[in-house]
Amino acid sequence: MSSISSKVRQSVVLTADGQLQALVNGTATNLQKINIMNVFGQTSAADAEIKIYNETGAAKTAAKLVFHAKFGTGANSNHEFTLPGSGIYCDEGAYVDLTNCDFCYVIGTF
């Protein structure tokens, strides 16, 4: 990971499917390389899902799926997923697919 900063930061909050972004000089910028340490989400209904793919864009290739969580029994349930060790490394970007989820954000190094 020598090509990315080692500072722990929060991504921009996503309220729909999309590319993980960070604020760079006040502008939301797609993350190209990220080490995901924590994933946070809030349900909008039961059985919320957060899927993260190691890719840019909405292709959602099954082979690129690096994180999949299903949680919650109703609306407005918050959950934090803490990843063991050094987390999950995405070197092509990180596309997030949300189902029954009000919002999601990621803590990691980038």
Side-chain angles (χ1 to χ4, degrees):
M1 289 196 338
S2 60
S3 63
I4 63 174
S5 172
S6 62
K7 290 184 179 180
V8 176
R9 302 176 185 169
Q10 176 185 318
S11 72
V12 173
V13 174
L14 289 174
T15 57
D17 296 357
Q19 200 70 31
L20 273 182
Q21 298 182 320
L23 291 177
V24 177
N25 297 324
T27 303
T29 305
N30 288 349
L31 293 170
Q32 297 301 313
K33 297 178 189 240
I34 180 172
N35 198 67
I36 300 169
M37 300 162 62
N38 296 75
V39 179
F40 295 84
Q42 178 176 305
T43 61
S44 59
D47 298 328
E49 291 185 71
I50 299 172
K51 296 179 184 176
I52 301 176
Y53 297 84
N54 182 18
E55 62 187 347
T56 302
K60 299 187 269 188
T61 310
K64 300 282 187 161
L65 181 66
V66 294
F67 177 84
H68 183 188
K70 190 169 187 173
F71 62 102
T73 58
N76 302 318
S77 173
N78 296 316
H79 199 79
E80 172 187 3
F81 302 93
T82 301
L83 303 174
S86 59
I88 298 170
Y89 181 61
C90 294
D91 61 352
E92 297 179 26
Y95 186 83
V96 179
D97 180 12
L98 301 176
T99 303
N100 294 340
C101 198
D102 284 330
F103 70 85
C104 170
Y105 66 90
V106 167
I107 301 292
T109 56
F110 47 89

